C-alpha cells in the first residue's frame, strides 16, 4: 500500500477554482450597433428543466439613440426558442421578462434576467433581445428602443419525472408577485 505524505494528500484534494467559482460575466450592449456581446462564459444558459437557477447580467450606456435615458425606461428581455442562427419559427410565442432590478452605475445602467422554466422548456437555442419603453402620464407609448437578437444555449438532460411549467408567462408571473408584495 502506498502511503501519501501530508503535502501529497493536500495537493490531491485541491479543487480547481475555475470549476467551482461562478463566472457571471456581464453581457455588454453596444448602443450604436445594438449588438449584445455575449461572452463565451455566458452562452450556456443551463439545461432543459432548470428553473430559476441562473441569471444573466447586462450593462449598457445609460444614454442611447436620440438622447434616450434608459434609467427612465422599463427594460425587458424578450426570448423565444430558435435555430442556431437566431431565426425562429413565427408560430413560437415570444415571451417577455421585465428587468425590475434596473440600476444606474455612473454613465451606465445595469440589470439582469432570471432564467425561468419557460426559458428552459426546450433544449436547443434561445434567441433573445433587450428592449426599453416608456409611457407618458396618460398611458401612451412615448419611446421604444431595441437591441438585435443574441443567442443562448440550453442543453439536454435526463428527465427527472417533474415537468415544470409556469401557469402563466414570465411577465404575468412578475405582475402577480408584484401585486402580492403591494398587498
Amino acid at each position: 500500500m502506498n502511503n501519501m505524505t501530508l503535502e501529497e494528500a493536500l495537493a490531491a484534494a485541491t479543487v480547481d477554482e475555475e470549476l467551482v467559482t461562478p463566472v457571471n460575466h456581464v453581457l455588454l450592449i453596444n448602443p450604436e450597433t445594438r449588438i449584445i456581446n455575449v461572452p463565451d462564459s455566458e452562452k450556456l444558459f443551463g439545461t432543459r428543466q432548470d428553473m430559476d437557477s441562473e441569471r444573466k447580467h447586462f450593462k449598457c450606456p445609460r444614454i442611447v439613440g436620440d438622447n434616450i435615458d434608459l434609467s427612465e425606461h422599463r427594460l425587458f428581455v424578450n426570448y423565444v426558442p430558435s435555430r442556431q442562427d437566431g431565426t425562429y419559427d413565427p408560430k413560437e410565442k415570444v415571451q417577455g421578462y421585465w428587468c425590475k432590478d434596473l440600476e444606474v452605475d455612473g454613465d451606465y445602467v445595469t440589470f439582469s434576467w432570471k432564467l425561468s422554466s419557460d426559458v428552459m422548456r426546450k433544449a436547443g437555442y434561445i434567441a433573445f433581445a433587450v428592449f426599453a419603453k416608456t409611457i407618458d402620464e396618460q398611458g401612451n407609448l412615448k419611446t421604444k428602443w431595441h437591441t438585435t437578437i443574441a443567442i443562448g444555449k440550453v442543453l439536454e438532460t435526463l428527465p427527472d419525472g417533474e415537468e415544470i411549467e409556469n401557469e402563466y408567462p414570465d411577465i404575468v408571473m412578475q405582475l402577480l408577485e408584484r401585486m402580492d408584495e403591494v398587498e
Side-chain angles (χ1 to χ4, degrees), residues 89-109:
D89 183 346
K91 295 175 191 162
E92 287 280 357
K93 185 175 179 185
V94 175
Q95 300 283 351
Y97 177 85
W98 175 19
C99 303
K100 297 185 288 185
D101 62 349
L102 175 67
E103 291 186 9
V104 175
D105 181 12
D107 291 338
Y108 293 86
V109 292

Side-chain angles (χ1 to χ4, degrees), residues 28-178:
L28 296 174
I29 299 172
N30 181 316
E32 299 301 322
T33 63
R34 313 284 184 97
I35 293 173
I36 302 171
N37 178 14
V38 183
D40 287 342
S41 63
E42 296 300 316
K43 290 181 179 178
L44 175 61
F45 281 20
T47 60
R48 185 177 63 80
Q49 295 186 332
D50 282 357
M51 179 180 170
D52 297 339
S53 59
E54 293 289 336
R55 185 177 292 272
K56 298 299 176 187
H57 300 271
F58 295 82
K59 186 173 185 176
C60 182
R62 180 178 170 182
I63 306 299
V64 298
D66 187 21
N67 207 28
I68 295 172
D69 186 344
L70 292 180
S71 70
E72 298 172 358
H73 286 63
R74 288 194 176 169
L75 296 179
F76 298 85
V77 176
N78 280 350
Y79 59 91
V80 64
S82 76
R83 297 172 193 94
Q84 186 174 0
D85 65 359
T87 59
Y88 60 93
D89 183 346
K91 295 175 191 162
E92 287 280 357
K93 185 175 179 185
V94 175
Q95 300 283 351
Y97 177 85
W98 175 19
C99 303
K100 297 185 288 185
D101 62 349
L102 175 67
E103 291 186 9
V104 175
D105 181 12
D107 291 338
Y108 293 86
V109 292
T110 61
F111 54 96
S112 69
W113 172 27
K114 190 172 195 176
L115 304 180
S116 71
S117 60
D118 280 344
V119 177
M120 307 303 215
R121 69 186 153 98
K122 288 184 179 180
Y125 295 93
I126 298 292
F128 65 97
V130 172
F131 83 94
K133 71 177 181 178
T134 187
I135 54 174
D136 63 20
E137 295 79 28
Q138 290 77 37
N140 300 314
L141 186 62
K142 190 174 169 184
T143 57
K144 285 190 352 181
W145 183 86
H146 292 260
T147 67
T148 61
I149 294 172
I151 302 295
K153 176 90 171 146
V154 177
L155 300 176
E156 187 58 79
T157 188
L158 292 174
D160 60 9
E162 295 179 28
E163 285 298 320
I164 302 170
E165 280 193 35
N166 282 347
E167 188 175 352
Y168 303 106
D170 283 352
I171 195 76
V172 174
M173 291 300 293
Q174 288 179 294
L175 293 172
L176 291 172
E177 289 170 7
R178 180 85 178 211

